[in-house]
Amino acid sequence: MADYLPAYFQACQGASPIHSSINLFPTALVISPFSIICGVIVKSTNKYRPSNYVGWALTMVGFGLLTLLKADAGTAQWVGFQVVTAAGVGIIWAGTVFPVLAPISVGRVAPALAFYNFCRTFAQTWGIAIGASILQNELSSRLPADFVARFPQGVEIAYAVIPEIAKLEPALQREVRDAFAASMATVWKAMIGFSAAGFLTLFLLREVPMQKHTDEKYGLEGAAAAAAEGRKEGRKQRRWSSEG
């Protein structure tokens, strides 16, 4: 979402790069609080499935609302739609961690989280690539052919178009902005599909009781090794000092 909304603001509403970043404040200010709320709810209820259901549902609704954004959408629309989507994404961002940690011992938390973060980053990379491909193809088919012909073959039209929009005559400018908004709607529809797939996976998710005990030995071996190494280095320095 944060990768493509700035492009929408710049292409459809004529915002500058800095202003388009400011327009993302609703997303930035909502994701973190809802991640915290998700964590608090999971801790208090000792259940993570309900939070994931709510998160994926809000994400689908939010992306559905974003498909309604037109080139001339008002502030209330793009702020409100961002809030709903960001709330869902924030819940999912935190809520998907608990099913990974619940069934494993404390000593296996670190490698599990490392692999989880790798999968999340890998999926984000694919999401950006898929979204860019959809936007490129949609713009190529929706923009006027004579306008597309102005750009070199193989250029990323989505970002090459933006600096040129303000220079166009009003009629063509309007047509290009409407085409960009409609193309962005297709991207959001694809995100609805991915979110729906995530929602369906919850029916396979088991509710494993969260662990409430602590492992007193966790991390002690590493701390003992570090302390021993520190003592060894200290003895070396004292020996060098006495020899000097």
Side-chain angles (χ1 to χ4, degrees):
M1 180 174 67
D3 296 300
Y4 294 105
L5 275 176
Y8 163 80
F9 290 128
Q10 293 176 43
C12 297
Q13 305 210 344
S16 67
I18 293 178
H19 194 190
S20 64
S21 299
I22 294 173
N23 289 347
L24 276 179
F25 274 10
T27 294
L29 296 176
V30 168
I31 283 183
S32 295
F34 272 85
S35 294
I36 295 172
I37 291 171
C38 174
V40 171
I41 291 175
V42 171
K43 179 176 175 57
S44 60
T45 63
N46 202 36
K47 295 182 182 296
Y48 47 77
R49 289 187 68 192
S51 295
N52 280 276
Y53 276 115
V54 173
W56 282 117
L58 282 175
T59 302
M60 285 189 291
V61 171
F63 281 127
L65 292 173
L66 287 175
T67 63
L68 303 177
L69 286 179
K70 305 300 182 183
D72 56 353
T75 302
Q77 282 185 301
W78 56 258
V79 168
F81 297 169
Q82 278 189 78
V83 168
V84 176
T85 312
V89 172
I91 293 173
I92 292 302
W93 191 263
T96 50
V97 176
F98 299 105
V100 175
L101 301 181
I104 64 175
S105 62
V106 177
R108 298 172 61 190
V109 165
L113 284 178
F115 183 69
Y116 168 80
N117 285 325
F118 166 78
C119 293
R120 171 180 279 178
T121 304
F122 187 71
Q124 286 175 329
T125 303
W126 274 102
I128 294 172
I130 292 171
S133 298
I134 294 173
L135 185 58
Q136 178 84 355
N137 292 333
E138 287 293 312
L139 285 173
S140 298
S141 62
R142 293 178 184 275
L143 289 172
D146 55 343
F147 179 70
V148 175
R150 301 182 186 182
F151 303 96
Q153 188 70 22
V155 72
E156 188 76 22
I157 297 178
Y159 299 100
V161 163
I162 293 174
E164 304 298 322
I165 294 178
K167 307 174 187 177
L168 302 175
E169 56 271 19
L172 181 57
Q173 186 180 107
R174 179 68 185 182
E175 187 175 358
V176 170
R177 286 181 169 167
D178 287 341
F180 206 102
S183 300
M184 289 297 303
T186 305
V187 175
W188 305 134
K189 290 175 183 177
M191 296 301 107
I192 295 174
F194 288 125
S195 300
F199 185 87
L200 291 176
T201 62
L202 298 179
F203 294 103
L204 304 175
L205 182 65
R206 292 185 298 116
E207 188 74 69
V208 178
M210 301 291 293
Q211 300 182 31
K212 295 184 177 181
H213 67 277
T214 57
D215 187 346
E216 296 180 355
K217 296 181 179 180
Y218 181 66
L220 291 181
E221 293 181 1
E229 185 66 23
R231 289 193 296 270
K232 183 179 179 181
E233 290 296 325
R235 286 194 296 269
K236 286 182 179 180
Q237 291 178 3
R238 287 193 297 272
R239 187 173 64 250
W240 292 339
S241 299
S242 62
E243 291 175 354

